[in-house]
Amino acid sequence: MTKKNRVGIMGGTFDPIHYGHLVTAEAARINFNLDEVIFTPTGNPPHKKDYAVTSAEHRYLMTALAINDNPFFKVSRVEIDRKGYTYTVDTLRYFAREYGNDTALFFISGADAILDILTWKDVREVLSMCTFIAATRPGYPMDKLKQKLQEIKRLYNSEVYPMEVTGMDISSTEIRRRVREGLSIKYLLPESIEKYIKKHGIYR
Ligand code: ATP
Ligand code: MG
C-alpha cells in the first residue's frame, strides 16, 4: 500500500545551519517527492562532545530563520525540548505518532553521518520506521557513499537510498572556525543567520 503523505526529517546539530543542509533537504524533497521536510535540531547530542555545542535555543532559532522562505520546510522542537540525550529512534516514534499511518517517513542524512546514525540505539526499529536517504557530500562522492551503503546492507540487510547533491563544501565546523578567527562567512549560509551570529556574538 502506498501511503498518502511523504514527510522528510532532516536531523542535525545545525551549529549553525548552512547552505549544505538547505541544498540537501531541497534535493531530497524534489527527488523523493516529499510533501514537506522537517528540520529537527538535536538537543544534547551524545556523539558530539569534542566542543561546546551552542545552546539549543540559538540553534533552533537559526534553523527557523534559515527555512523561513521555503514553504515546504518546517522546524521541530521535539529533540531540543526533550531532556537528556536524543536518539533518532525516539524522534521517529514521535513523528510516526504525530502523523499516523497514512504517512511515510524519510530520514535525510549526509554520507558522513549515515553510519553513525545506524550504529545508534535500536537500529532495526529505526530502519523499519522510515526510509533512509543518504546524500553525497564533498569528501563523500557517490562511489564512496555506495561503499558505505553496502556496509550497511551487510550489517543490517537494509536498503538506504543514495542521493547525488550539488557539492557544497561547507561545514558548521568550518563556519565556527572562521567566526572565531574573524574571517568572512558570507555566502556560506543565509544572510539572516550571519546577522544572528554577529548580533549574539556566537562562536567568538
Ligand atoms: P559539524 O561540522 O559541526 O559536524 P555539519 O556541517 O556536519 O556540522 P551537521 O549538523 O553535523 O552539520 O549535519 C547535519 C546533517 O547534514 C548530517 O546528516 C550531515 O551529513 C548533513 N550535511 C552537513 N553538511 C552537509 C553538506 N555540505 N552537504 C551535504 N550534507 C551535509
Ligand atoms: Mg557533522
Side-chain angles (χ1 to χ4, degrees), residues 17-19 21-23 25-26 29 37 39 61-75 189-193:
I17 189 163
H18 53 69
Y19 282 130
H21 301 128
L22 294 164
V23 155
E26 181 71 354
R29 180 181 80 76
V37 176
F39 287 72
L61 283 172
M62 289 191 282
T63 306
L65 275 176
I67 61 154
N68 190 251
D69 63 350
N70 189 326
F72 302 105
F73 287 179
K74 288 186 181 163
V75 59
L189 74 186
E191 199 180 350
S192 54
I193 316 303

Side-chain angles (χ1 to χ4, degrees), residues 179-190:
V179 174
R180 204 165 52 237
E181 294 179 4
L183 302 170
S184 169
I185 54 170
K186 203 172 178 59
Y187 308 125
L188 300 177
L189 74 186

Side-chain angles (χ1 to χ4, degrees), residues 10-25 42 47-48 51 53 59 107-114 117 133 135-138 140 165-176:
M10 175 91 194
T13 316
F14 304 130
D15 191 12
I17 189 163
H18 53 69
Y19 282 130
H21 301 128
L22 294 164
V23 155
T24 301
T42 52
H47 59 293
K48 272 202 184 173
Y51 79 97
V53 173
R59 292 184 291 108
F107 196 93
I108 307 159
S109 157
D112 63 301
I114 188 75
I117 293 165
I133 303 169
T136 54
R137 180 177 182 170
Y140 293 85
V165 169
T166 306
M168 293 262 181
D169 199 358
I170 306 171
S171 72
S172 303
T173 302
E174 173 71 7
I175 291 172
R176 292 192 300 272

Side-chain angles (χ1 to χ4, degrees), residues 6-159:
R6 298 162 72 85
V7 170
I9 300 162
M10 175 91 194
T13 316
F14 304 130
D15 191 12
I17 189 163
H18 53 69
Y19 282 130
H21 301 128
L22 294 164
V23 155
T24 301
E26 181 71 354
R29 180 181 80 76
I30 290 164
N31 286 306
F32 289 82
N33 203 14
L34 306 178
D35 299 300
E36 58 186 27
V37 176
I38 307 170
F39 287 72
T40 311
T42 52
N44 186 4
H47 59 293
K48 272 202 184 173
K49 288 185 189 135
D50 49 335
Y51 79 97
V53 173
T54 308
S55 83
E57 217 53 56
H58 274 321
R59 292 184 291 108
Y60 170 79
L61 283 172
M62 289 191 282
T63 306
L65 275 176
I67 61 154
N68 190 251
D69 63 350
N70 189 326
F72 302 105
F73 287 179
K74 288 186 181 163
V75 59
S76 168
R77 295 184 64 93
V78 59
E79 293 202 359
I80 65 171
D81 285 344
R82 203 184 284 140
K83 297 276 168 280
Y85 289 163
T86 36
Y87 294 99
T88 302
V89 66
D90 299 316
T91 302
L92 286 168
R93 281 185 195 134
Y94 168 83
F95 284 117
R97 247 193 339 267
E98 281 290 292
Y99 281 91
N101 257 335
D102 251 4
T103 299
L105 296 176
F106 295 76
F107 196 93
I108 307 159
S109 157
D112 63 301
I114 188 75
L115 255 189
D116 269 10
I117 293 165
L118 293 180
T119 51
W120 291 357
K121 225 178 117 202
D122 302 324
V123 188
R124 260 160 236 290
E125 189 179 354
V126 163
L127 287 165
S128 71
M129 291 178 83
C130 69
T131 303
F132 266 87
I133 303 169
T136 54
R137 180 177 182 170
Y140 293 85
M142 195 45 104
D143 52 340
K144 210 165 151 189
L145 172 59
K146 282 194 171 153
Q147 273 173 28
K148 216 165 196 183
L149 298 191
Q150 263 164 22
E151 197 177 329
I152 291 168
K153 181 121 200 182
R154 222 174 23 248
L155 287 170
Y156 307 112
N157 194 26
S158 197
E159 206 75 54

